[in-house]
Amino acid sequence: MSNITGITRGGASWTPAFVTDINQVRCIGCGRCYKVCPRDVFDLVDRDDLDLEELAANDSDDDDDFEEAPGMVMNLKNMLDCIGCLACSRVCPKKCLTHEPQAIAA
């Protein structure tokens, strides 16, 4: 099955990569992804409302910044609204976001 593709204004083929996950253990709640996103994909939530101990146990990275992070963390509010522009990943200082191309629906 082929992936969704587009064409840039200059005529080049482009394959968008849509956000699929956010590593909330690594997230420092800076809000950069929220500010740059042209859609309603992200939302800040209270870090205390998440079970970060469980998330940290499943995180393969040894980055312990979640201990020192502010009280908020980014959450995926509506990932189906993502247009695959990757702007959020370009501004994320902790590389928290995972993106994948999307297959064309049958």
Side-chain angles (χ1 to χ4, degrees), residues 85-93 95 97:
C85 67
L86 299 172
C88 54
S89 280
R90 287 190 215 109
V91 299
C92 182
K95 307 297 180 215
L97 299 154

Side-chain angles (χ1 to χ4, degrees), residues 47-63:
R47 187 174 291 277
D48 292 337
D49 292 342
L50 302 172
D51 187 2
L52 292 180
E53 297 291 331
E54 182 180 331
L55 291 173
N58 296 328
D59 188 24
S60 61
D61 193 353
D62 291 328
D63 192 357

